[in-house]
Amino acid sequence: MRELRVETEHPYTVHIGQGAIELLGQHYRDLLAAADQVVVIADIRVAELHLPQLLEALADFQPKVFCVPAGEGAKSAESFMDCHSFLLSENCSRNTIILAFGGGAVGDLAGFVASTFMRGVPFIQVPTTILAHDSAVGGKTAINHPLGKNMIGTFYQPRAVVYDADFLQTLPENEIRSGMAEVIKHAFISNKGWLDELMAYQDFSGIPGQQLEGHLEKGIAVKSAIVEEDEFEGGVRKFLNFGHTLAHAIEAHLGYGKLTHGEAVVLGMAYALELSESHELPRFLEWASANHYPLALLIEMPFAELLPYMKKDKKSTAAALNFVLLGEVGQPYIETIPEQRAQAAYDKLRKMIKEMI
């Protein structure tokens, strides 16, 4: 079992490994037993696959379960209010504890619900996707708005992250691609040797389980170190948004859930590398193409259609576009980019992609 401590204002431990959910009834028994009710907010697709295993681990606590739509469909105002209605109808209180069971979307939703129900109740992240190695750690919670992704939310740390690697075995191919995008993002902003190792993968399906857990642990370590330095995103935590300015614009433009978050992030990282004039871009495009990321989508989306969403990005201001860029690998920085330069880089990237496919 791998363990990492996240030293935020309210510290907690991330547990990674096969059979990790057994820790709920062991290591976290006192926390769960002290609650008047234990409530699981679950992605409905994940519940169909894995809920029996979770309920077995929680058998001593008689949990109640509320299922929400799969994927980004969970991060809506309707789902948020439905969760609150369920908690109220079940007579939950400030002594209730919530478990988020699913990928990053359910973790974001359940964390936001926990942070706002009766002004805050404790919650535990039980992630089931590779992508959630990023979203489950750090305390960002949110739902989407039609005009922008993650625009309504809070900073609210979990009491624990219990990351059972057994759940990763049923992930579909697009969710593996999505998760590995956030892994390689962490490598870009931290470690060239690790980036080279990840860039060597031409087929994610062949990654041994222990090797994958090692990559997830490295990614969580990168994120937790940054979060510990800047918990509320006043400075260096913004580096974790490398690739996300364009990615969030693409997701909002296409409609949430039409493209996985990680697939959009790969497109966004390619754009950020072009803006950075990075020599890593050609190699990254080859890697993305080999692993079937949808690069061709950029050819179909005019810059003018994405610009309004990028202007609403949380790093930007009314007068400027701010992007996380990269000097050398491991040297992220933030730069204000004029619209004309932003469009020229976008057009150049689209041309490169068109020539290679």
Side-chain angles (χ1 to χ4, degrees):
M1 188 73 62
R2 303 168 189 264
E3 293 187 355
L4 296 93
R5 189 73 174 164
V6 184
E7 297 292 345
T8 53
E9 185 177 347
H10 301 285
Y12 55 96
T13 302
V14 181
H15 309 269
I16 314 167
Q18 293 181 311
I21 57 168
E22 297 303 321
L23 294 173
L24 293 170
Q26 300 167 6
H27 190 76
Y28 294 102
R29 170 171 290 277
D30 290 347
L31 175 63
L32 293 168
D36 60 356
Q37 299 206 61
V38 175
V39 174
V40 176
I41 296 178
D43 175 307
I44 191 166
R45 193 175 301 148
V46 171
E48 291 169 355
L49 291 169
H50 301 301
L51 186 60
Q53 295 97 299
L54 180 64
L55 293 182
E56 183 178 350
L58 295 172
D60 291 344
F61 310 105
Q62 299 181 315
K64 294 176 178 177
V65 180
F66 184 70
C67 291
V68 296
E72 287 293 318
K75 291 176 61 172
S76 68
E78 292 77 15
S79 288
F80 174 75
M81 292 304 296
D82 287 346
C83 289
H84 277 278
S85 296
F86 178 79
L87 295 171
L88 290 168
S89 67
E90 295 294 331
N91 297 313
C92 293
S93 74
R94 286 182 172 175
N95 292 321
T96 294
I97 188 167
I98 293 173
L99 278 70
F101 188 50
V106 164
D108 285 0
L109 168 71
F112 188 34
V113 170
S115 74
T116 51
F117 183 71
M118 296 193 176
R119 298 194 173 94
V121 298
F123 83 111
I124 295 174
Q125 290 273 18
V126 187
T128 62
T129 66
I130 298 171
L131 182 75
H133 89 281
D134 178 71
S135 59
V137 177
K140 276 189 175 180
T141 81
I143 57 174
N144 299 327
H145 188 281
L147 296 179
K149 186 177 171 72
N150 294 336
M151 287 296 169
I152 305 167
T154 58
F155 289 96
Y156 194 69
Q157 301 293 346
R159 292 294 183 90
V161 179
V162 179
Y163 201 166
D164 196 319
D166 287 336
F167 296 138
L168 303 180
Q169 296 175 11
T170 59
L171 288 176
E173 185 178 339
N174 68 327
E175 284 296 335
I176 295 173
R177 275 198 304 272
S178 182
M180 292 305 294
E182 290 286 5
V183 175
I184 207 166
K185 176 206 75 177
H186 286 130
F188 264 119
I189 65 173
S190 68
N191 186 305
K192 188 169 191 311
W194 182 27
L195 177 67
D196 292 343
E197 186 180 347
L198 292 169
M199 286 276 207
Y201 289 127
Q202 301 292 302
D203 179 6
F204 298 139
S205 64
I207 304 176
Q210 286 294 316
Q211 201 173 101
L212 177 58
E213 287 178 32
H215 290 312
L216 298 179
E217 182 180 19
K218 286 181 182 178
I220 292 169
V222 169
K223 181 162 190 178
S224 62
I226 291 175
V227 169
E228 287 168 8
E229 184 177 347
D230 177 22
E231 183 172 351
F232 300 106
E233 202 170 50
V236 297
R237 185 166 180 172
K238 293 176 182 177
F239 295 158
L240 292 166
N241 290 317
F242 178 61
H244 284 58
T245 300
L246 182 66
H248 286 169
I250 291 170
E251 290 179 90
H253 171 66
L254 292 178
Y256 302 119
K258 299 292 178 60
L259 186 69
T260 69
H261 174 65
E263 288 172 326
V265 167
V266 163
L267 304 184
M269 286 191 288
Y271 181 52
L273 290 171
E274 174 57 45
L275 284 169
S276 307
E277 299 180 353
S278 172
H279 59 82
E280 294 288 351
L281 178 58
R283 182 167 71 133
F284 180 66
L285 290 176
E286 290 176 7
W287 174 86
S289 178
N291 286 291
H292 309 293
Y293 288 94
L295 297 173
L297 276 177
L298 286 182
I299 300 171
E300 304 168 10
M301 288 183 283
F303 181 80
E305 294 180 0
L306 298 173
L307 181 60
Y309 297 104
M310 287 193 282
K311 286 184 172 180
K312 291 185 177 68
D313 181 83
K314 293 183 288 298
K315 294 182 298 302
S316 298
T317 66
L321 295 169
N322 291 319
F323 290 88
V324 179
L325 302 184
L326 202 68
E328 295 300 319
V329 174
Q331 297 177 4
Y333 63 96
I334 295 175
E335 184 174 339
T336 300
I337 305 293
E339 284 184 26
Q340 187 174 2
R341 179 183 161 194
Q343 175 152 12
Y346 186 79
D347 292 341
K348 185 177 178 181
L349 176 62
R350 293 168 81 196
K351 184 179 178 183
M352 288 180 66
I353 292 171
K354 198 169 185 178
E355 290 173 350
M356 69 179 286
I357 62 176

